[in-house]
Amino acid sequence: LLSSLGVNVNFAPVCDIAGDEDDFMYSRSLGQDAETTSEFIRQTVSLYSENSMGCVLKHFPGYGDNPDTHKGIALDERELTEFETRDFLPFSAGIQEGAECVLVSHNIVSCLDKTVPASLSEEWHSLLRGELGFTGCIITDDLSMGAIRKCCDIQAAAIQAIKAGNDLLCCTDYGIQLPAVIEAVRTGEISEERIEESVRRILAWKLRLGLLPEDAVLS
C-alpha cells in the first residue's frame, strides 16, 4: 500500500515497551515484554527490507511510562541499567536486522543527561552510535512539540539537534528552523564537515532504498 502511494519510508516500527494501559505510549506500542517486542521488531524490519521500504525505529532510548511530550516536558529518572536490560533490546534487534534510521524522543532521560531532551543530547547520540553500534541516520522527533518549546527556543533547538548528532530534523516549523541551521553553518557555529557527515549517511540510505542510480559513488 505504501509503495503504491509513492511512500518510501515509514516512521515505524515503535520499539517502546509499555505494559500499562494508562501509559501514553501503550496504544502505539506492541504492549508486550522486551523479548516479545524485540522479536516483533526483528521480523518487522526484515519485512521492510524485503520490500525495499525504509523504516524508523522509535522512540529511542525507550519511552517507558512517560507523559505526552507533544504537550510538555517529560522527565525520565530510570537507571541506565533498566534501559540496557530492557528498553534497548528492541532497538538492538532492529539495528542488527539492518534498520537504517532511529528516531530519538524528547524525554529528558536523566541517567545520561539531566539538562536537555535526549533528541538534543550529545551523550545519548554517542551511546546510540557507540554502545548500540548504530551507523545509520538519526532523526529527531518533531522539534515543534511542547517538550521542546518549553525547554528552549525552537531556532536554538534545531541548531543543537544538528550539533548533538542528528542527521535529519523532523520539524513542523521548518520555515523558521531551516534558516536557523543555514545561518549557523554560515557563521561557523555548525561546521560544513558536520553537515557533510550527515549528508553521506542520508545518501547511503537512499542508495540502499534504490532512490539513487546504482552506479552512484559515495566518498
Side-chain angles (χ1 to χ4, degrees), residues 203 206-218:
L203 291 176
K206 287 186 174 183
L207 184 62
R208 283 187 280 271
L209 287 174
L211 303 177
L212 295 178
E214 293 183 3
D215 59 353
V217 177
L218 305 180

Side-chain angles (χ1 to χ4, degrees), residues 80-219:
L80 183 59
T81 52
E82 182 172 343
F83 288 93
E84 292 174 331
T85 58
R86 179 175 178 264
D87 294 71
F88 288 173
L89 300 184
F91 290 98
S92 293
I95 290 168
Q96 291 168 13
E97 198 60 42
E100 300 278 6
C101 190
V102 173
L103 181 147
V104 185
S105 79
H106 294 325
N107 294 338
I108 297 176
V109 190
S110 63
C111 61
L112 211 61
D113 191 333
K114 299 178 180 179
T115 58
V116 296
S119 56
L120 307 183
S121 168
E122 293 181 38
E123 287 81 2
W124 277 110
H125 286 74
S126 294
L127 184 145
L128 178 56
R129 295 284 186 207
E131 186 170 330
L132 273 67
F134 183 61
T135 59
C137 293
I138 302 176
I139 187 170
T140 67
D141 210 340
D142 192 335
L143 290 172
S144 300
M145 288 163 59
I148 296 297
R149 291 182 176 276
K150 291 187 177 182
C151 80
C152 60
D153 173 87
I154 61 171
Q155 289 98 327
I159 295 168
Q160 178 56 31
I162 296 290
K163 293 166 73 173
N166 292 284
D167 303 297
L168 294 156
L169 306 184
C170 178
C171 47
T172 301
D173 292 318
Y174 59 87
I176 297 172
Q177 292 171 320
L178 176 59
V181 171
I182 293 173
E183 179 63 13
V185 175
R186 189 191 68 80
T187 62
E189 184 177 357
I190 298 174
S191 69
E192 290 189 18
E193 290 76 16
R194 172 67 196 86
I195 297 296
E196 290 168 356
E197 177 186 350
S198 290
V199 169
R200 283 192 292 271
R201 291 194 187 105
I202 295 165
L203 291 176
W205 190 16
K206 287 186 174 183
L207 184 62
R208 283 187 280 271
L209 287 174
L211 303 177
L212 295 178
E214 293 183 3
D215 59 353
V217 177
L218 305 180
S219 59

